[in-house]
Amino acid sequence: MASNVEQPEAPHKNFDTILVLDFGSQYTHLITRRLREINVLAELLPCTTKLADLPFKPKGIILSGGPYSVYEKDAPHVDPAFFELPNTPVLGVCYGLQELAWRLSPENVVAGTEREYGQADVTAQRHGGHVDKLFDGLEDAMQVYMSHGDRLSQLPEGFCTIATTTNSPYAGIAHKEKNIYGIQFHPEVTHTPKGKDLLRNFAVKICGAKQNWSMSNFCDQEIARIRNLIGPTAQVIGAVSGGVDSTVGAKLLKNAIGDRFHAVLIDNGVMRHNECQQVKETLAKHLGISLTVVDASERFLGALKGVEDSEKKRKIIGGLFIDLFEEEAIRIEKEAENTPNAGKVEWFLQGTLYPDVIESISFKGPSATIKTHHNVGGLPQRMIDGQGLKLIEPLRELFKDEVRALGRELGIHEDLIMRHPFPGPGIAIRIIGEVTPERVRIARQADHIYVSMIREAGLYNKISQAYAGLDTNKAVGVMGDKRYEGYIIILRAVVTTDFMTAEPYPFSMEFLCELSRRIVNEVEGISLVTYNVTSKPPGTIELQ
Ligand code: GLN
């Protein structure tokens, strides 16, 4: 599949780029992010990347941390050619530092007797000269985050010590002549408060990278690149959901190729209250994008009949999406036949974000290439394979909040930018058990009241994601002095920055009671309202 995916190489022509070679640390992606925060473009590639295959000349190289021990039999190692690149400084972080030392002599790295996890205090050692540049402008004493079991047993030849901790005499090293540096701690995490300054020292003072990367540069750059890539006649189809990623992607495509971009929203019958209509209107009004809504609710609800298992539901919905996009691509080509827009639908827009790309980078196993994360939001693998549609992923270098910043750059309305994420399979996975039209109605109405009340209370932007789900079981209640069996609503509202961990939003009891009162009174079929207070982990954000 890799050949089907356009490679984002163009930005490197205009911006100095720091290459980050990934050895598999959980924090690698944060290195690239911190660099972008200081307006330096960073590209992350697997540690197995060969210099000969690199499509650009990096301004500097960072070797990331990683789970392996450099002395292990199968441990990954960097292509030595990177060290021969003229005027290209190298910074090794944790495993990266150990890799630098191990290359010079395997005896330089040993298993430590004590593992060091968490906070540590480093002391910078100054020598005069270039080796001081990494800690330039920083205080001698610095709080850092460590996560390692191995350590350097001795100073590698040609190096001097530029930082120590009580447990790590070689917490930072620098080559006395060459621009090669290594640190045992992680500068990329927020637990190293001055880490960003240290990365700036490396990128700007040591590598000489220009700090000219910005969202607005990125925006112009991307639009020009997309236009060029698609060429003068091809058409692009994109699944638009009303979420921020697909909206920003759609706006970029619209700006790049105008009406040859076709935004499609498939109404699967499990969208939120009035959602399809609202998304259509908002896109037309704010973005000038004419959205085709394909009403396939009966097909979806028919296929979901009697299905209780959530994985089965996902598969059914994903499969039908594929069929419908295939039909749409054919319809678009036919309709355009005798118009100035006539051309093949060659591309499929996908809102893949950077974390998805990172997740699918692997340096082990049969292939050492970047594999693109397909099926984000249940997207059509079969369609892409079968019809040879090429993927276009303009957001694949960005994190969620960066996508939001790009959206603002594109003039997208704040309401759209701050919209809570909504899963591809929609309300179907917020209903535990069978998805019937009646149960969809109940969940949808409850959700509408819930989210409206959150908006009215001014809490919408304080919460990352909120929805009403439905339990399979019924509960006994009493209404009008009569026994009444109704469904159980499970409300969820979480706060999170990265959606990897999340906390429940602390509503006031008064607000929760008012919610319950309104939902039970206004939605027929409910006898009990609960609020899910489980954090993630161990819970998840959605119900299934
Ligand atoms: N696995 C190596 C160690 O334990 C490197 C760890 C890291 O890069 N975080 O020392």
Side-chain angles (χ1 to χ4, degrees), residues 309-476:
D309 179 73
S310 64
E311 278 311 299
K312 271 200 193 126
K313 287 187 216 170
R314 283 180 191 272
K315 286 212 176 91
I316 290 170
I317 295 174
L320 266 175
F321 265 127
I322 302 171
D323 296 346
L324 285 150
F325 272 105
E326 277 176 350
E327 291 167 22
E328 270 310 288
I330 294 168
R331 185 192 62 76
I332 290 165
E333 272 180 24
K334 273 223 175 89
E335 254 184 41
E337 244 163 33
N338 296 315
T339 73
N341 280 339
K344 263 190 87 58
V345 177
E346 280 182 28
W347 297 86
F348 187 85
L349 167 70
Q350 179 158 280
T352 313
L353 303 191
Y354 211 68
D356 307 322
V357 178
I358 303 302
E359 273 170 23
S360 40
I361 285 180
S362 88
F363 57 83
K364 288 238 115 193
S367 99
T369 51
I370 296 179
K371 283 172 267 152
T372 307
H373 210 266
H374 297 296
N375 270 336
V376 177
L379 281 174
Q381 175 76 53
R382 176 159 67 77
M383 178 186 87
I384 291 158
D385 287 346
Q387 293 203 343
L389 278 186
K390 290 171 276 193
L391 281 179
I392 181 155
E393 301 177 308
L395 311 177
R396 73 200 296 279
E397 299 194 6
L398 307 178
F399 289 85
K400 190 92 177 175
D401 58 334
E402 293 177 311
V403 171
R404 292 194 160 122
L406 176 60
R408 292 191 181 101
E409 205 58 57
L410 285 159
I412 295 174
H413 197 269
E414 202 56 27
D415 284 357
L416 272 172
I417 289 190
M418 295 311 290
R419 241 170 107 95
H420 292 177
F422 185 61
I427 293 180
I429 55 151
R430 293 175 171 178
I431 293 175
I432 304 179
E434 192 187 354
V435 181
T436 63
E438 170 69 351
R439 283 160 56 78
V440 171
R441 174 194 63 81
I442 293 174
R444 186 181 274 155
Q445 284 182 357
D447 184 80
H448 183 57
I449 295 171
Y450 180 41
V451 177
S452 306
M453 277 186 65
I454 288 176
R455 280 190 196 278
E456 283 155 25
L459 299 175
Y460 189 82
N461 287 351
K462 294 195 176 126
I463 293 168
S464 312
Q465 193 163 338
Y467 66 89
L470 194 66
D471 198 355
T472 337
N473 295 322
K474 286 189 166 182
V476 175

Side-chain angles (χ1 to χ4, degrees), residues 65-69 93-95 98 115 147-151 184 186:
Y68 290 83
S69 288
V93 172
C94 202
Y95 184 97
Q98 296 162 4
R115 302 166 77 78
S147 171
H148 69 116
D150 301 329
R151 62 180 178 84
Q184 186 59 77
H186 288 269

Side-chain angles (χ1 to χ4, degrees), residues 218-219 222-223 226 230 236-258 261-263 283 287 289 348-353 392-396 398 402-404 406-408 410 412 416-417:
F218 178 84
C219 189
E222 255 324 272
I223 291 170
I226 292 169
I230 309 273
V236 181
I237 186 170
V240 170
S241 65
V244 62
D245 305 338
S246 66
T247 307
V248 170
K251 181 67 178 152
L252 278 173
L253 263 294
K254 170 81 183 169
N255 287 9
I257 58 164
F261 170 65
H262 304 271
L283 254 62
L287 307 179
I289 293 175
F348 187 85
L349 167 70
Q350 179 158 280
T352 313
L353 303 191
I392 181 155
E393 301 177 308
L395 311 177
R396 73 200 296 279
L398 307 178
E402 293 177 311
V403 171
R404 292 194 160 122
L406 176 60
R408 292 191 181 101
L410 285 159
I412 295 174
L416 272 172
I417 289 190

Side-chain angles (χ1 to χ4, degrees), residues 41 45 116 118 125 156 217 268 334 396 455 476 524 528:
L41 183 61
L45 290 173
E116 251 189 317
Q125 313 285 325
N217 284 332
N268 53 13
K334 273 223 175 89
R396 73 200 296 279
R455 280 190 196 278
V476 175
E524 211 190 303
L528 198 155

